[in-house]
Amino acid sequence: MTIDRPERYRFSEAPIWDLQRTYYEQLGLQAWVNGQVPQYITSNPMIGTAYAEMIFGLLQDRAAMGQSIEPVIILELGAGAGRLAFHVLQQLDELIAYADIPLPPYRYVMSDLPVKNIEGWQQHEGLKPFVERGVLDFARFDAVLDTELILTQSGSFIKPGALRQPLMVIANYFFDSIQQELLYIDEGKIYECEVSLQYPEQSADMGPSEVLRDLVPEYHYKRAAEYEDSSYPYHEIISFYQDKLEDSHVLFPAAALSCMERLRALSSEGFLLLTADKGDHRLENWAFLEPPKLMHHGSISLTANYHALVYYYEKMGAQSLFTQHHYKNLNVGCVLMLEAPQGYTHTRLAYRRFVARFGPDDYFSLKVWIDRNYDTIELQPLLAFWRVGGYDAEMFIQSAERISALLPEASDEELLDLKLGIRRMWNGFYPMPQKYDLALDCGLLLFEMEEYGEARRFLEHSLQNGDEEPVITVLYCLAICSYEQEDMEAALDYTRRSLQIEPENEEALDLLRALSGE
């Protein structure tokens, strides 16, 4: 049974958006714990590398234009857990060090609405080195209202017209989660789809996520000639839809367009947008659509209308880059709202190499297949795909059991590559509150490989940072590692601790007798 609340709302003003905001403000970074809100697909090392390459391309292009003095600001909207920023900055560091060429300075600005998120970033050990170097800053930014950026670490204000380099904007899983208008188009006329909401019976006692999950929207149609008037800011797009679409429900991104216009005003040089989302840039994918369903994953999301955004800015002279092939899970696009965008050769080439040729969506599709087939994959292809994904920790965790089973038949070269991969993965790992223990998996595999020094380092890290009581397997492995390193005092201590957990364990008892000379 539900409580009927007959109030009708403009879709962009419905209470669902207040519930969405409350959800993120209450949870902060906890919203991304253990996949409650999706973040992996848009925040893994693969997409971090693609974005870093395009940022590096823009820096090269600006240097070639003689614009190497003023800093380039890279603004991430809805930076969430912070994992994407970490991967981008790490990869950008490597590119700049490897190239060793003169480039403009840059500053990456992570932004979001909840203050809790900013506080979490400020305390995160993975982000602190970038803050200390002055290449990372934070800002609270309301995409619906704000017209300037106030940076928390440097205290800088970025006001309209302040920037002398193009603003780079990153919007991943962002446009699908902010307000949109819902229009219905038929026979050349525009109707607004108002929404009424049926709430679950116990909604007063439920959290915002549960309410969002269980509420039922109902749509009502109202003639909306104001969208057809030439005074409407996005009249050209609406007119195009009137001409090309029939019997179609269209999510119209007025809030996203307004946000991008306010951001465009910050720079006299325009902007470059990097964006990845469940979003369609092809007109045919908006034809004959039914009313949208609210996709629930802790919060809610909808399909982002990239077509409207691209149409609007291409009319102003922008160049947009999207793949010619169809996306499956993630549409990655680049919009160059810049003077003479064709002249940004390095940026466009980076998109071609790292998105159009083989990009984050292709990687994710292959990973989904590999996730289902670990039991049949040999070590060499596993290592190869791990390298392609930038030594992704999630893939390692999912494949650790299979790798362990393959170790007895592994060649010396494969073992060396595995050890190298573990090191690179650990250096590129962004810790988040979650259930799995990466250090433990690394340590146990290295122990099986008889790499006792490195195994001990990881196992001790797991022991010191874990929330649960140690198990005998870890303590016994540490005892063996210490013994192999001729650290007899530590070996004896770990052995005795093992026996406190399991006094009758034969292996630990044998090791104790050997260590104590009995």
Side-chain angles (χ1 to χ4, degrees), residues 35-46:
Q36 185 174 1
V37 174
Q39 51 83 25
Y40 172 77
I41 188 173
T42 58
S43 301
N44 56 63
M46 178 70 178

Side-chain angles (χ1 to χ4, degrees), residues 96-382:
I96 291 172
Y98 189 85
D100 193 24
I101 56 176
L103 294 170
Y106 65 91
R107 179 177 293 171
Y108 195 109
V109 179
M110 297 167 62
S111 73
D112 217 331
L113 186 62
V115 174
K116 283 184 178 181
N117 289 6
I118 298 173
E119 293 171 347
W121 302 333
Q122 289 171 325
Q123 297 165 14
H124 199 288
E125 292 301 322
L127 299 176
K128 283 182 180 178
F130 299 110
V131 174
E132 291 165 0
R133 285 170 42 206
V135 298
L136 177 61
D137 215 319
F138 313 121
R140 184 181 185 274
F141 182 73
D142 187 333
V144 178
L145 298 172
D146 288 345
T147 59
E148 62 184 22
L149 296 171
I150 303 173
L151 308 189
T152 63
Q153 306 308 110
S154 63
S156 300
F157 282 66
I158 301 178
K159 298 183 177 181
L163 302 180
R164 295 295 176 264
Q165 296 274 29
L167 174 68
M168 291 200 73
V169 180
I170 294 175
N172 276 12
Y173 269 6
F174 182 75
F175 294 136
D176 71 338
S177 301
I178 64 173
Q179 291 94 321
Q180 300 191 58
E181 307 297 346
L182 179 57
L183 306 178
Y184 175 70
I185 302 169
D186 193 34
E187 297 182 349
K189 293 183 174 62
I190 305 297
Y191 299 84
E192 189 153 46
C193 297
E194 295 182 328
V195 62
S196 60
L197 301 170
Q198 290 186 327
Y199 288 77
E201 186 174 355
Q202 305 299 323
S203 60
D205 301 318
M206 297 166 68
S209 178
E210 289 75 22
V211 176
L212 285 168
R213 179 194 63 207
D214 294 341
L215 61 76
V216 179
E218 183 178 347
Y219 297 105
H220 315 271
Y221 298 86
K222 181 183 78 170
R223 183 78 170 89
E226 62 270 21
Y227 287 96
E228 303 166 24
D229 193 275
S230 59
S231 63
Y232 183 64
Y234 313 114
H235 168 71
E236 275 196 87
I237 313 173
I238 296 296
S239 180
F240 179 79
Y241 286 167
Q242 281 180 276
D243 185 51
K244 300 295 182 182
L245 296 177
E246 284 194 25
D247 190 20
S248 302
H249 294 81
V250 175
L251 287 162
F252 191 77
L257 287 164
S258 170
C259 174
M260 292 309 303
E261 282 299 278
R262 282 178 276 115
L263 292 177
R264 183 163 75 107
L266 298 179
S267 173
S268 58
E269 298 295 318
F271 69 80
L272 183 144
L273 170 66
L274 302 178
T275 182
D277 220 320
K278 305 182 302 295
D280 277 315
H281 64 282
R282 294 180 171 89
L283 179 66
E284 59 267 27
N285 291 336
W286 291 99
F288 304 108
L289 284 184
E290 296 294 319
K293 295 181 179 179
L294 304 179
M295 291 172 277
H296 183 268
H297 33 66
S299 59
I300 58 163
S301 64
L302 298 157
T303 300
N305 188 344
Y306 281 148
H307 177 272
L309 192 145
V310 166
Y311 186 93
Y312 182 75
Y313 283 111
E314 283 188 347
K315 285 290 184 180
M316 296 184 187
Q319 181 178 9
S320 60
L321 306 175
F322 283 85
T323 62
Q324 291 185 358
H325 60 268
H326 292 77
Y327 82 97
K328 173 64 176 176
N329 299 286
L330 190 68
N331 200 4
V332 183
C334 176
V335 178
L336 298 93
M337 185 60 222
L338 305 164
E339 185 177 353
Q342 196 70 15
Y344 285 78
T345 307
H346 291 99
T347 310
R348 294 185 301 105
L349 282 172
Y351 181 89
R352 183 179 187 274
R353 295 182 187 124
F354 293 93
V355 179
R357 184 174 176 273
F358 180 87
D361 184 56
D362 304 299
Y363 170 77
F364 188 77
S365 295
L366 285 176
K367 186 178 179 300
V368 170
W369 181 86
I370 285 177
D371 289 347
R372 297 170 181 160
N373 293 277
Y374 278 121
D375 291 345
T376 63
I377 301 175
E378 296 302 313
L379 186 56
Q380 192 54 237
L382 273 178

Side-chain angles (χ1 to χ4, degrees), residues 1 54 69 75 89 172 235 272 314 328 375 387 455 488 512:
M1 178 179 176
M54 287 185 277
I69 305 302
L75 173 66
L89 287 166
N172 276 12
H235 168 71
L272 183 144
E314 283 188 347
K328 173 64 176 176
D375 291 345
R387 283 193 293 273
M488 300 307 170
L512 178 63

